[in-house]
Amino acid sequence: MNLSILRPASKTICGGAISLLLVATVSVLPGLSQAQTATPARAQAGEPVTLNFSNAEIEAVARTMASITGYNVVVDPRVKGTLTLVTEKPVSRGVAMNQFLAVLRLQGFTMVESAGLYKVVPEADAKLQSGAVTVIDTATGGSAASANQITTQIFKLNFESANSLLAILRPLISPNNTINVNPGNNSLVITDYADNLRRLAQIIAAMDVANATDVEILTLKHAIATDLAPLVLRLMESSGAGAPGQADGSFKTALVAEPRSNTLILRAANPARAALAKSLVAKLDQPISGGSNGAAGNIYVVYLKNADAVKLAATLRAAMSGQSQATAAPAATGAAAGAAAQSSTGGQVQADATTNSLIITAPEPQYRQLRAVIDRLDGRRAQVLVESLIVEVNTDKAAEFGIQWQGAVGNADSSNIGLLGTNFTSNNIINLAMKAGTTTPAAPGIGVNLGVAHKTNGVYVLGFLANFLETSNSGNVLSTPNLLTLDNEEAKIVIGENVPFVTGSYSNNNTSGSSGSNPFTTVERKDVGLTLKVRPQINENGTVKLVIYQETSSVKAGTEKDANGPTTTKRSIESSVLVDDGSIVVLGGLLQDQYGGSQEKVPGLSDVPLFGNLFKSESRGRKKTNLMVFLRPVVVRDAQATDRLSMDRYEMMQAGIREIQPAPSNLLPINAAPQLPALGAAPVSKTQP
């Protein structure tokens, strides 16, 4: 059953008559009731529709398509005109919308989608509206969007230069759409219809292929390879031979200098580039006319990359001085030999610390010799990470045992009374008894105290005191200072306090009758704590020689306020060792075991077995100290190894900080501690649904 639904989409005034245009004919599937077909509001989802628009206003057709497809469609006020859209048979909702887009495209309009809203706008403004952006590789094909929909795609090129393809692809883009180049990552940004983007993707994929030449060796006769290589590359880039936006450095023109053989290693993007590079090298590899160095004459400037110009200049001057002495004897054999010696010696080398460069004044043969030496010495120096582990374990044990007693002998009314008892240094019973009746009585010592007091004349007097005490102290100190330094360069790390020590004092006693005094004290501040100084030297066989000074010091407890300054304890090691790369060596240590004891007793009585303990006081103590220093040098030879080492330590600190974050609390306003930022984290992007 087919039912034609007529809707008055627009009114056209022609000769005073008003005509109604046919909007759409909806094909209704069999089985629908008459009540269901009487409401022409919108086609049900999944039902095919038959379009029959004849010279209908674009805005009215857009409203009808919105009702049929269920899309939210708005029309820009600048979109005016009529269109004709007819389908011979029922089509699906997606096909109907695609045909509507095709008709709009023929009339210079298009539809863009933004956050679920479809906007009918002029084609020239479509590239400025919000739409989908996709990033594809040249091998993945084109866009998956509708053929008549405008979208933006970014093509990342792997081999060909984006600037070279721009002139080829620009004529294939419609005038209202755009194509741009990003030289930074060698990519093309194209905004156009999806069907045209798929065609452009095939063209780009066919042209973005590798065509690099083989490696060639160019031997130089007169020029210096390290000077000629950057000059030729600069000339080729300025002529368009090497685009600055080339994505892969292995497929663009590469020219590398090999100083040992004074040759150039060439790999070009194609044979034409290789021929251009060879011609430039041949033209520049010419002998210097008249021994001139341009306007500079025999004065050459060499910029250093890694070495220190001041130190290298001193080394070169010493080498030139030795060469001059070695050639002095052969030079005296004849005039020809003397001329040769004069041409190869006599140069001057000065250092410019500001620019870290060398200024060489010498004839060309000697400059070539010096330049070869400079290229070998001006290499990247390796670094050494020295990991140290300082472990100190202390154990103190002490024990005390003593019995004291005092008693009076005689009658209470006698004029003379005798005293009998024992008293020892530790917790003296007589001192405790004398202070018992004062306002500041003294307490017995620490530990277990057992005493008996006897009442004499209404006053309790301490007559018996037994003291038992055992103490135990233990400590573990672990320090892990690490140092990263250049090869053969001393590094130092100090972790501790800067403590003042008295070195002298002066006080004016006002003996001359002056009205005031000017006392003063001179002090010297010293570092107290952990100090580690290391000078590593990397040998050719991979071993590392370490010149080490390690010191551990601390202020002795209880001496901080002494008149003559605090007393410090110090443990230091100064040594030179040879260690393999990555191996662990024990540098030195202290193993100390001390024992001390004291005994106070009454002669004779204290020697009686068991009964003698009532007449003596004894104390014993033992102290053990274990101190060990371990070192592990690790050679870091390049920037990648340095980055891996730094990232490993950075992530370790991040994990440690995350573990000590405070638990959330509703009572305390602060619920987070400072954290290290994540490295390489991508920024959070917010996209519309």
Side-chain angles (χ1 to χ4, degrees):
M1 172 181 178
N2 294 331
L3 177 64
S4 298
I5 302 174
L6 301 181
R7 296 183 62 193
S10 61
K11 296 181 179 180
T12 305
I13 301 176
C14 180
I18 300 178
S19 60
L20 298 179
L21 300 180
L22 180 63
V23 175
T25 301
V26 181
S27 298
V28 183
L29 296 178
L32 296 179
S33 62
Q34 184 177 2
Q36 289 176 306
T37 60
T39 303
R42 56 180 294 180
Q44 294 184 4
E47 293 181 353
V49 295
T50 301
L51 305 180
N52 187 10
F53 297 98
S54 178
N55 293 328
E57 293 288 342
I58 295 178
E59 183 177 359
V61 176
R63 290 199 307 269
T64 303
M65 295 304 299
S67 176
I68 293 175
T69 61
Y71 294 159
N72 297 322
V73 181
V74 296
V75 181
D76 192 285
R78 294 170 293 178
V79 177
K80 302 294 183 181
T82 61
L83 57 79
T84 299
L85 177 58
V86 179
T87 58
E88 298 297 332
K89 60 182 179 178
V91 295
S92 63
R93 181 178 65 176
V95 174
M97 178 59 73
N98 191 32
Q99 292 185 2
F100 175 58
L101 294 177
V103 175
L104 289 177
R105 179 177 176 180
L106 294 176
Q107 298 191 213
F109 306 113
T110 188
M111 180 184 293
V112 295
E113 187 268 339
S114 175
L117 181 64
Y118 292 83
K119 297 180 287 187
V120 181
V121 296
E123 185 181 274
D125 294 342
K127 59 180 175 292
L128 304 178
Q129 302 291 332
S130 175
V133 178
T134 56
V135 180
I136 63 173
D137 191 85
T138 54
T140 60
S143 173
S146 176
N148 296 296
Q149 186 176 359
I150 289 182
T151 184
T152 300
Q153 282 191 2
I154 302 175
F155 295 89
K156 291 186 176 181
L157 305 182
N158 297 320
F159 308 106
E160 187 60 41
S161 170
N163 286 321
S164 301
L165 290 182
L166 179 63
I168 300 174
L169 300 178
R170 189 181 294 276
L172 304 179
I173 306 296
S174 60
N176 291 328
N177 295 320
T178 60
I179 177 173
N180 297 289
V181 171
N182 182 15
N185 60 357
N186 193 44
S187 59
L188 292 169
V189 182
I190 306 176
T191 301
D192 203 355
Y193 287 98
D195 56 351
N196 194 34
L197 287 175
R198 285 191 282 269
R199 182 179 63 148
L200 295 178
Q202 297 177 357
I203 297 174
I204 294 173
M207 302 185 69
D208 186 27
V209 294
N211 55 358
T213 62
D214 294 333
V215 176
E216 299 186 44
I217 306 299
L218 306 179
T219 303
L220 302 181
K221 299 179 180 179
H222 307 284
I224 299 177
T226 54
D227 292 339
L228 193 59
L231 178 61
V232 174
L233 282 177
R234 194 178 303 114
L235 291 173
M236 295 182 67
E237 289 178 358
S238 62
S239 62
Q246 197 75 19
D248 193 347
S250 61
F251 294 104
K252 73 175 182 179
T253 302
L255 193 63
V256 181
E258 205 286 303
R260 186 183 62 83
S261 60
N262 196 38
T263 57
L264 295 174
I265 304 174
L266 173 65
R267 187 183 187 189
N270 49 57
R273 303 288 193 268
L276 177 60
K278 292 179 182 178
S279 63
L280 290 175
V281 171
K283 292 178 181 179
L284 295 175
D285 187 23
Q286 300 294 330
I288 299 177
S289 59
S292 62
N293 182 27
N298 285 341
I299 302 178
Y300 303 86
V301 179
V302 180
Y303 293 95
L304 303 180
K305 300 181 180 67
N306 301 287
D308 188 354
V310 177
K311 296 181 180 179
L312 186 56
T315 303
L316 293 176
R317 285 194 292 265
M320 293 170 61
S321 176
Q323 182 184 16
S324 176
Q325 295 176 3
T327 57
T333 59
Q342 183 178 3
S343 63
S344 61
T345 60
Q348 296 181 359
V349 180
Q350 299 294 332
D352 182 20
T354 304
T355 59
N356 195 38
S357 59
L358 296 175
I359 304 173
I360 302 175
T361 304
E364 182 185 355
Q366 188 181 16
Y367 169 69
R368 289 177 176 274
Q369 296 177 1
L370 293 175
R371 186 58 187 269
V373 176
I374 292 171
D375 291 338
R376 293 186 179 183
L377 296 178
D378 188 27
R380 179 186 176 92
R381 298 171 61 185
Q383 300 181 95
V384 179
L385 173 67
V386 181
E387 299 176 318
S388 61
L389 179 64
I390 305 172
V391 185
E392 181 176 358
V393 180
N394 298 322
T395 302
D396 296 340
K397 290 185 178 181
E400 295 182 6
F401 169 77
I403 296 177
Q404 306 174 59
W405 52 275
Q406 292 288 330
V409 179
N411 297 323
D413 54 353
S414 300
S415 59
N416 295 322
I417 298 176
L419 295 176
L420 179 64
T422 60
N423 64 291
F424 303 114
T425 304
S426 178
N427 298 323
N428 189 275
I429 190 172
I430 295 179
N431 293 335
L432 296 176
M434 293 176 62
K435 295 183 178 181
T438 63
T439 57
T440 58
I446 60 176
V448 176
N449 294 279
L450 178 61
V452 176
H454 178 69
K455 187 174 183 180
T456 303
N457 294 330
V459 178
Y460 285 96
V461 178
L462 186 61
F464 175 82
L465 177 63
N467 177 249
F468 305 89
L469 173 64
E470 181 177 352
T471 62
S472 177
N473 296 323
S474 61
N476 181 13
V477 180
L478 178 66
S479 302
T480 57
N482 296 337
L483 281 176
L484 180 64
T485 181
L486 283 175
D487 179 23
N488 209 24
E489 294 288 343
E490 182 181 285
K492 177 181 179 181
I493 182 172
V494 178
I495 304 172
E497 300 177 347
N498 195 256
V499 180
F501 292 86
V502 178
T503 58
S505 62
Y506 172 78
S507 177
N508 187 352
N509 294 325
N510 196 15
T511 56
S512 60
S514 58
S515 59
S517 61
N518 186 23
F520 64 88
T521 302
T522 60
V523 297
E524 178 185 4
R525 289 189 171 271
K526 295 182 180 180
D527 294 328
V528 175
L530 176 64
T531 302
L532 177 63
K533 291 193 294 185
V534 180
R535 180 189 292 274
Q537 181 179 348
I538 305 173
N539 301 323
E540 285 296 330
N541 58 357
T543 60
V544 181
K545 178 184 177 182
L546 299 175
V547 180
I548 307 160
Y549 176 78
Q550 188 272 329
E551 176 184 311
T552 303
S553 59
S554 62
V555 177
K556 191 173 182 180
T559 64
E560 295 85 351
K561 298 182 180 181
D562 287 358
N564 295 326
T567 302
T568 60
T569 59
K570 177 180 178 181
R571 300 182 180 94
S572 63
I573 298 175
E574 188 171 0
S575 177
S576 298
V577 295
L578 194 64
V579 192
D580 291 334
D581 180 16
S583 299
I584 300 177
V585 62
V586 56
L587 186 61
L590 171 66
L591 300 178
Q592 187 178 21
D593 193 347
Q594 296 179 347
Y595 172 80
S598 64
Q599 189 179 62
E600 296 177 341
K601 63 182 181 177
V602 177
L605 295 177
S606 61
D607 297 330
V608 178
L610 188 62
F611 180 74
N613 292 327
L614 299 176
F615 301 94
K616 64 181 178 180
S617 174
E618 187 175 1
S619 64
R620 297 178 183 179
R622 186 172 185 178
K623 180 178 181 181
K624 297 182 66 175
T625 301
N626 295 337
L627 173 64
M628 287 291 176
V629 179
F630 301 88
L631 291 180
R632 177 175 179 263
V634 179
V635 179
V636 183
R637 298 189 179 275
D638 51 21
Q640 291 77 12
T642 304
D643 291 341
R644 288 195 300 269
L645 177 66
S646 301
M647 294 303 101
D648 178 69
R649 300 305 169 89
Y650 195 89
E651 292 174 358
M652 180 181 68
M653 293 301 298
Q654 275 187 322
I657 292 177
R658 286 195 297 265
E659 291 178 358
I660 61 174
Q661 287 294 308
S665 173
N666 296 327
L667 301 178
L668 301 178
I670 300 176
N671 284 316
Q675 299 188 52
L676 291 175
L679 295 180
V684 179
S685 60
K686 296 181 179 180
T687 57
Q688 294 181 348

